[in-house]
Amino acid sequence: MSADALAPVAGPQPDSTGHFGRFGGRFVPEALVAALDELDGAWRTAIADESFRAEFGALLRDYAGTPSLLYEARRFSAKVGARVLLKREDLNHTGAHKVRNVLGQALLTKRMGKTRVIAETGAGQHGVATATAAALFDLECVVYMGEVDTERQALNVARMRMLGATVVPVTTGSRTLKDAMNEAMRDWVANVDETHYLIGTAAGPHPFPAMVRDFVRGIGDEARQQCLDLTGGLPDAVTACVGGGSNALGIFHAFVGDPDVRLYGFEAGGDGVTTSRHAASITGGSAGVLHGARTYVLQDADGQTLESHSISAGLDYPGVGPEHAWLHDSGRANYLPVTDDEAMAAFELLCRTEGIIPAIESAHALAGTVTLAPKLAAELGREPTIVVNLSGRGDKDVHTAGDYFGILDKER
Amino acid sequence: MSRIGVAFDKARADGRALLVGCMPAGFPSVEGSIAAMTAMVEAGVDVIEVEIPYSDPVMDGPVIQKASDIALAGGVRTADTLRIVEAVAATGAPVVTMTYWNPIERYGVDVFARDLAAAGGTGLITPDLIPDEADEWLAASDAHGLDRTFLVSPSSTDARVAMTVEHCRGFVYATAVMGVTGARSRTSDAAPTLVSRVREFTDLPVGVGLGVGTGAQASTVAGYADGVIVGSALVRCLLDAPSEADGLAALRTLSAELAEGVRTPTR
Ligand SMILES: Cc1ncc(COP(=O)(O)O)c(C=O)c1O
């Protein structure tokens, strides 16, 4: 199945200049346009090239360990009141769906003859994945990370360094993910000849949103077939957490053309979208321009970006990929917020019922599913089947979760 | 012709370049930025570029980032920028506004154009808005008689230079280096080439910015460009000073040095 994860499929595409309806596009310094055009050209050529697709497919299979399993979580299902099938992206190498994107972009970097990759990271997951691919492909790697995050995620900083990457703490602005992204953009403008900016989610200027989506859309292609094989039909709903939006688009894309499959994206509601402490750009933000695209943004009355808050570092971002903004406006996908507390309750439930420690990001998808299941059951008059994208594993979150549940022994 | 166009013409006739000095609005405070910009005009800066501070300024280096952060922390609003434009325009110097796109979209593109024109601003420099995405701004600037300065870069293809300058009015902004704002010890080798490429496609004046910080550099750039755009070096005068009065004194000294530079082009 993963032998040709890039084979052409039907599904929504942006227009030739990267617009999904009124969203997307390129709001970037002119200095970057040449590089974006180069990337777009390299990308179009690569996906039409059998050998590139074969190479990517082989890496996904032999290195990343895909296709990931679609696992029927029976004990979790019984608690939730739905037949819950987990797409086990947590079992991939490096522990999340993100490896698919970095392998694809690293291959493309080689094809463009570039020798250096840069990345932004919040929790460090994308940074670790990028450092991994850079080691595998012998590329120089610099990862920008907000100073606040380097302190919160010291272990991931060490992992990146072990893999040979340089981690640059970003001390400007709010010193978190959005500022790391600003700093990566500044680096890219200055070093664009030899450098590829390996963006970690389906956001940013065209062609990143569509390209990243395509690199991860194997998740949905696999899950759709696996669900057919397992249940003899399509699911009633597909759910995922939404930070920048890559794992959600990755699993949605294959189902967008199936009108009976409901699509649900769960955003980080933090303390609640009615408070100022959340990261729900679609349900709690408004249309604007951030990091190269028009999309939903958390912003104040003057268009200044607001700081986001979430217990999940990977969802703690004040924007979202433009394709989600468009899927929201078109009504094809539904977006709902999940609070920190709801996510942590679902985190615990999965641990205790299935022996699987999810990433806190993915716990948002689980929590949304818990709320969705009875509503869907009532609507359908039967037990619904729900495919949940378990986008990553929780090893990185043990400290945060231990803190939350108060189960860490005091330091001696 | 726009007021900036007239000023460029006059400078050309005088055999010199125009000096454009940039400051973030509201840095170090609203009143402080009016005082700083007024001091710059008095010391010989021809055109004031008022930058709207923005939370995510991807084209700016550390100096302007820091000044913007200070301005935002001080609570400056987009409406304050318009007040600053109005106060500085009263000195008689043309005032152009430089802004990232989201604050304008949020304010309302047409409403902002109307209010900027009413405040006496000449137009906008848009570092993250390329003509490809600018339909609304093209219409609003036409409706309110404002100039449009888009950027060209050493990496721009000829086709993009041609397309970009076709959409400019007032002057064209040539970014001298591949990089962000910030004074550099050497002026750019790429800039003269870029300026001559721009001149193949337009008679509009060309301003060169990014990295200029001394009178000698201003003189060098004045040798091939119509305008010399200085930002970080001026901002640093205020950032580094122990007091506001010292900052203004340093700002006057540097402005005068730069003004002398653009009047003695190196050819
Ligand atoms: C496991 C996991 N899931 C989800 C996300 C959120 O990103 P996206 O919305 O692009 O899938 C992250 C980001 O770090 C992550 O590590």
Side-chain angles (χ1 to χ4, degrees):
Chain A
M1 209 182 298
S2 68
D4 195 354
L6 293 171
V9 289
Q13 296 300 340
D15 71 12
S16 63
T17 48
H19 299 90
F20 295 91
R22 67 182 170 126
F23 298 107
R26 282 180 180 169
F27 292 81
V28 292
E30 167 66 21
L32 289 179
V33 171
L36 293 169
D37 281 343
E38 178 192 18
L39 180 61
D40 193 34
W43 161 239
R44 282 172 202 281
T45 312
I47 47 172
D49 178 348
E50 298 284 342
S51 72
F52 181 86
R53 288 181 0 209
E55 204 177 345
F56 183 55
L59 272 169
L60 283 181
R61 185 188 60 232
D62 303 335
Y63 186 73
T66 73
S68 60
L69 301 173
L70 187 72
Y71 164 72
E72 178 156 12
R74 290 201 171 78
R75 283 187 17 91
F76 185 79
S77 295
K79 296 277 186 198
V80 169
R83 186 174 186 190
V84 175
L85 308 177
L86 300 178
K87 182 60 176 160
R88 296 291 308 274
E89 289 293 297
D90 60 317
L91 298 177
N92 297 348
H93 180 46
T94 71
H97 69 289
K98 304 223 169 225
V99 69
R100 299 180 187 251
N101 173 40
V102 297
L103 289 175
Q105 288 197 53
L107 264 184
L108 213 50
T109 304
K110 280 285 189 193
R111 264 178 96 98
M112 290 187 292
K114 297 192 174 188
T115 54
R116 178 174 178 265
V117 288
I118 56 174
E120 83 293 341
T121 197
Q125 285 307 102
H126 175 59
V128 169
T130 304
T132 301
L136 182 65
F137 287 92
D138 192 21
L139 296 162
E140 185 189 342
C141 179
V142 175
V143 179
Y144 291 95
M145 189 168 185
E147 192 179 42
V148 171
D149 293 328
T150 58
E151 287 158 13
R152 289 198 284 206
Q153 306 284 342
L155 267 178
N156 268 345
V157 173
R159 284 170 83 194
M160 288 183 262
R161 290 191 177 135
M162 252 168 242
L163 291 161
T166 304
V167 179
V168 181
V170 175
T171 57
T172 53
S174 58
R175 298 179 293 138
T176 59
L177 178 57
K178 84 174 177 66
D179 308 284
M181 201 150 173
N182 293 338
E183 209 50 37
M185 290 259 195
R186 293 182 188 114
D187 178 318
W188 203 30
V189 174
N191 300 296
V192 67
D193 281 347
E194 75 278 4
T195 300
H196 174 62
Y197 179 13
L198 212 160
I199 294 186
T201 187
H206 176 65
F208 283 102
M211 181 183 76
V212 172
R213 190 269 324 274
D214 278 349
F215 279 133
V216 297
R217 69 150 224 254
I219 304 169
D221 294 341
E222 294 165 16
R224 191 175 182 281
Q225 189 58 49
Q226 288 165 324
C227 185
L228 286 170
D229 293 346
L230 185 74
T231 71
L234 292 173
D236 297 302
V238 173
T239 68
C241 66
V242 180
S246 65
N247 89 89
L249 284 174
I251 198 159
F252 286 177
H253 195 67
F255 295 98
V256 169
D258 298 318
D260 294 336
V261 179
R262 295 154 187 80
L263 305 176
Y264 283 89
F266 295 108
E267 298 194 292
D271 292 347
V273 280
T274 55
T275 73
S276 62
R277 293 177 56 83
H278 64 80
S281 314
I282 295 178
T283 46
S286 52
V289 169
L290 179 65
H291 292 146
R294 184 178 290 116
T295 184
Y296 282 97
V297 179
L298 300 183
Q299 56 182 328
D300 71 10
D302 282 340
Q304 308 292 344
T305 311
L306 293 171
E307 267 180 60
S308 55
H309 291 278
S310 170
I311 190 167
S312 150
L315 303 182
D316 200 352
Y317 177 64
V320 65
E323 189 171 350
H324 283 295
W326 176 72
L327 285 171
H328 168 74
D329 276 19
S330 73
R332 178 61 189 96
N334 307 288
Y335 296 86
L336 295 166
V338 163
T339 63
D340 287 355
D341 290 341
E342 290 167 332
M344 294 314 289
F347 177 98
E348 186 174 32
L349 184 62
L350 193 74
C351 290
R352 299 302 174 87
T353 54
E354 298 290 345
I356 297 171
I357 302 178
I360 298 178
E361 290 79 12
S362 319
H364 285 70
L366 295 166
T369 304
V370 170
T371 312
L372 174 66
K375 292 185 189 148
L376 205 50
E379 186 188 324
L380 297 169
R382 59 172 168 78
E383 179 185 64
T385 300
I386 304 177
V387 170
V388 182
N389 196 3
L390 197 71
S391 56
R393 61 175 171 247
D395 305 31
K396 69 185 176 58
D397 295 320
V398 166
H399 196 88
T400 305
D403 238 13
Y404 180 88
F405 293 115
I407 54 173
L408 296 177
D409 286 336
K410 297 261 179 305
E411 269 173 64
R412 272 169 280 234
Chain B
M1 180 182 289
S2 69
R3 285 176 60 202
I4 279 214
V6 172
F8 271 109
D9 273 3
K10 186 165 177 310
R12 258 184 197 172
D14 294 345
R16 70 168 181 102
L18 269 195
L19 176 61
V20 181
C22 173
M23 263 304 145
F27 166 73
S29 64
V30 171
E31 293 313 317
S33 59
I34 294 172
M37 293 175 198
T38 306
M40 284 156 63
V41 173
E42 288 167 1
V45 176
D46 299 299
V47 175
I48 299 295
E49 177 185 329
V50 179
E51 178 165 348
I52 299 184
Y54 177 53
S55 51
D56 297 274
V58 295
M59 267 296 280
D60 282 307
V63 171
I64 293 184
Q65 281 175 49
K66 185 154 186 211
S68 298
D69 281 351
I70 291 171
L72 289 173
V76 70
R77 309 280 315 260
T78 307
D80 295 319
T81 302
L82 292 166
R83 198 151 64 78
I84 293 166
V85 168
E86 191 163 12
V88 179
T91 65
V95 180
V96 58
T97 300
M98 132 109 178
T99 183
Y100 293 90
W101 196 239
N102 199 46
I104 305 308
E105 230 174 73
R106 189 69 175 164
Y107 195 98
V109 178
D110 189 70
V111 187
F112 184 84
R114 182 198 67 196
D115 291 355
L116 181 64
T122 61
L124 290 183
I125 301 171
T126 51
D128 66 349
L129 185 73
I130 53 178
D132 319 51
E133 300 284 352
D135 286 355
E136 216 182 336
W137 167 233
L138 298 182
S141 50
D142 283 346
H144 299 283
L146 293 170
D147 289 338
R148 301 188 287 255
T149 294
F150 295 106
L151 278 56
V152 293
S153 142
S155 65
S156 305
T157 59
D158 282 351
R160 284 203 63 84
V161 171
M163 185 280 288
T164 302
V165 301
E166 194 187 306
H167 289 95
C168 287
R169 188 161 54 210
F171 70 103
V172 179
Y173 192 134
T175 54
V177 290
M178 293 298 290
V180 296
T181 58
R184 290 168 173 81
S185 53
R186 289 187 57 225
T187 46
S188 148
D189 304 331
T193 314
L194 178 59
V195 171
S196 54
R197 286 174 59 212
V198 171
R199 295 203 198 283
E200 284 172 34
F201 299 103
T202 184
D203 294 328
L204 282 175
V206 186
V208 168
L210 297 196
V212 183
T214 66
Q217 289 172 332
S219 162
T220 304
V221 174
Y224 58 86
D226 306 299
V228 179
I229 305 170
V230 182
S232 298
L234 293 165
V235 171
R236 179 171 287 152
C237 291
L238 300 187
L239 270 180
D240 290 352
S243 74
E244 229 170 291
D246 290 320
L248 285 178
L251 192 60
R252 283 178 201 277
T253 307
L254 180 61
S255 297
E257 178 190 324
L258 294 164
E260 177 60 27
V262 299
R263 280 167 178 76
T264 49
T266 311
R267 298 206 206 264

